[in-house]
């Protein structure tokens, strides 16, 4: 016979649907829960709002990292591994659900969950948005209500047992991770594994950008972090050049040069990307800036300009032949 357990938390009821195994997991800051969940309305039909199994990927949250729906940490803490439980939660615990669900749905759709709400507190964003972009979530915002969560807990991992996602790291952990990621990227470049190396550089940049977001732009601490970001972005761009992702290089070098317009290496990489996509004038201008800013790179610039000239001449010949062929066929 099913039994209803009342947690020692106001506005929460728990019903165990399938017993778990072992003792309750011992938790600490940084422990990671992995679980599937269903969210239902407390109506006659028990209308399903979200189901993580439909996305095909279990949910993960980190203990102590201020997940917007704080009650979930409490619910999961009451479960054993392998347990399936149903929780009824009153309105006092479900007010943020629409915002949380919006983020999860956007991730499942391959979109940025924070688009349009960066650097804002969650509650402020909730009141700012007239629409979440989802009709059922808009209804939840307009009429807050109790919700039912059905959860299946798969595992609980200590912080040392899994690779920490960047967002889950503390400031000290992020700073410690950067040189490790930088070194791993360099090692992968030597093995010509450019895609994997780019991912390492990108992860290191994300760590530093997250830290920079908490500092005042152009003040000492921000500048120290920026000095670490710049070589990582340049390394990332070099990998993208090797991979033929030229527009990616144009985007990141241009962004870098908006802040540091005297960086010869950034101009050099942007010039190579311009040359690769046949932007001859822009490529020549950037190469000339390189030679002006760093005379030691003059020989490399001269070589690149010679190659650019040869490529452009060859392209003009091929274009002329193509146009002549088109003209002749139209005449015939």
């Amino acid at each position: 016979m099913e039994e209803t357990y009342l947690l020692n938390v106001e506005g929460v009821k728990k019903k165990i649907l399938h017993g778990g195994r072992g003792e309750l997991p011992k938790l600490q800051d940084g422990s990671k829960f992995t679980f599937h969940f269903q969210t239902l309305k407390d109506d006659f039909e028990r209308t399903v709002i979200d189901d993580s199994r439909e996305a095909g990927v279990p949910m993960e949250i980190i203990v102590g990292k201020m997940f917007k729906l704080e009650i979930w940490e409490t619910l999961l803490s009451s479960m054993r591994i392998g347990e399936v439980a149903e929780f009824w939660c009153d309105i006092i615990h479900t007010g943020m659900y629409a915002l949380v669900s919006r983020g999860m749905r956007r991730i499942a759709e391959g979109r940025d969950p924070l688009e349009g709400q960066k650097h804002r507190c969650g509650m402020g964003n909730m009141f700012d948005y007239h629409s979440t972009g989802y009709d059922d979530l808009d209804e939840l915002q307009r009429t807050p209500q109790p919700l039912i969560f059905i959860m299946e807990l798969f595992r609980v991992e200590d912080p040392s047992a899994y690779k920490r996602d960047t967002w889950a790291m503390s400031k000290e952990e992020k700073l410690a991770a950067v040189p490790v990621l930088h070194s791993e990227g360099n090692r992968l470049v030597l093995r010509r594994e450019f895609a994997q190396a780019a991912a390492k550089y990108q992860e290191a940049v994300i760590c530093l950008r997250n830290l920079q977001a908490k500092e005042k732009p152009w003040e000492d601490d921000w500048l120290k972090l920026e000095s670490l970001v710049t070589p990582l972005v340049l390394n990332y761009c070099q990998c993208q050049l090797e991979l033929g992702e030229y527009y990616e290089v144009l985007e990141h070098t241009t962004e870098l040069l908006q802040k540091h317009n005297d960086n010869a290496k950034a101009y050099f990489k942007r010039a190579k990307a311009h040359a690769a996509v046949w932007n001859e004038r822009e490529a020549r201008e950037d190469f000339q800036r390189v030679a002006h800013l760093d005379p030691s790179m003059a020989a490399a610039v001269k070589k690149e300009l010679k190659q650019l000239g040869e490529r452009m001449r060859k392209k003009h010949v091929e274009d002329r032949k193509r146009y002549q062929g088109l003209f002749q066929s139209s005449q015939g």
Side-chain angles (χ1 to χ4, degrees), residues 108-127:
E109 294 163 4
R111 299 160 68 193
D112 179 359
L114 299 177
E115 185 179 309
Q117 65 176 58
K118 291 183 174 70
H119 312 306
R120 300 288 309 281
C121 74
M123 193 62 73
N125 281 297
M126 175 65 81
F127 291 118

Side-chain angles (χ1 to χ4, degrees), residues 47 202 223 331:
T47 305
Q202 186 177 44
L223 288 168
Q331 292 293 310

Side-chain angles (χ1 to χ4, degrees), residues 310-321:
E310 290 170 354
R311 287 183 68 236
M312 295 309 299
R313 278 190 292 276
K314 185 178 178 182
K315 182 177 186 293
H316 292 324
V317 169
E318 291 173 352
D319 287 347
R320 197 161 31 270
K321 287 180 180 177

Side-chain angles (χ1 to χ4, degrees), residues 69-297:
L69 204 64
E70 294 179 17
I71 193 62
W72 273 18
E73 189 174 311
T74 302
L75 306 183
L76 292 161
S77 299
S78 77
M79 298 178 69
R80 292 171 169 78
I81 305 301
E83 181 178 321
V84 181
E86 177 178 309
F87 299 92
W88 178 90
C89 294
D90 208 348
I91 295 173
I92 57 172
H93 301 297
T94 62
M96 294 296 290
Y97 185 76
L99 184 61
V100 171
S101 176
R102 176 185 184 272
M104 292 187 294
R105 291 184 189 187
R106 291 177 71 86
I107 290 169
E109 294 163 4
R111 299 160 68 193
D112 179 359
L114 299 177
E115 185 179 309
Q117 65 176 58
K118 291 183 174 70
H119 312 306
R120 300 288 309 281
C121 74
M123 193 62 73
N125 281 297
M126 175 65 81
F127 291 118
D128 264 5
Y129 282 114
H130 299 294
S131 172
T132 62
Y134 304 94
D135 291 342
D136 58 339
L137 299 183
D138 288 347
E139 181 197 344
L140 283 182
Q141 282 197 179
R142 286 191 300 268
T143 56
Q145 56 196 270
L147 295 174
I148 296 167
F149 302 112
I150 300 176
M151 296 178 160
E152 180 178 3
L153 181 60
F154 296 130
R155 58 182 174 273
V156 178
E157 297 168 274
D158 290 336
S160 60
Y162 66 93
K163 182 179 180 298
R164 305 287 295 280
D165 290 326
T166 298
W167 64 267
M169 293 179 179
S170 67
K171 177 180 179 179
E172 292 73 21
E173 288 170 333
K174 287 183 176 114
L175 284 171
V178 167
V180 175
L181 291 165
H182 198 157
S183 177
E184 288 176 354
N186 293 347
R187 179 176 54 81
L188 289 162
V189 166
L190 291 174
R191 290 162 49 178
R192 301 192 64 77
E193 296 178 17
F194 296 114
Q196 295 90 330
K200 295 293 182 183
Y201 296 136
Q202 186 177 44
E203 189 175 350
V205 169
I206 289 169
C207 283
L208 294 168
R209 291 293 190 216
N210 287 345
L211 294 173
Q212 267 191 318
K214 297 177 174 64
E215 305 294 341
K216 290 185 178 179
W218 303 105
E219 293 197 355
D220 286 347
D221 289 341
W222 188 94
L223 288 168
K224 286 176 186 175
L225 293 167
E226 185 67 16
S227 70
L228 298 174
V229 167
T230 300
L232 287 163
V233 171
L234 291 172
N235 286 1
Y236 174 83
C237 288
Q238 183 60 42
C239 291
Q240 297 303 326
L241 281 173
E242 297 285 354
L243 294 166
E245 299 290 345
Y246 303 119
Y247 290 102
E248 181 91 351
V249 177
L250 291 175
E251 177 185 346
H252 288 284
T253 50
T254 298
E255 183 182 340
L256 190 63
L257 287 164
Q258 286 170 351
K259 296 186 217 171
H260 312 286
N261 62 5
D262 59 348
N263 192 302
K265 290 181 179 179
Y267 279 118
F268 189 78
K269 294 183 195 307
R270 190 171 75 171
K272 286 178 71 72
H274 275 309
V277 297
W278 308 105
N279 297 338
E280 181 179 13
R281 180 179 60 81
E282 292 88 344
R284 289 186 180 280
E285 287 176 358
D286 278 353
F287 279 132
Q288 286 162 4
R289 285 194 188 99
V290 173
H292 173 73
L293 288 167
D294 188 351
S296 70
M297 297 179 73

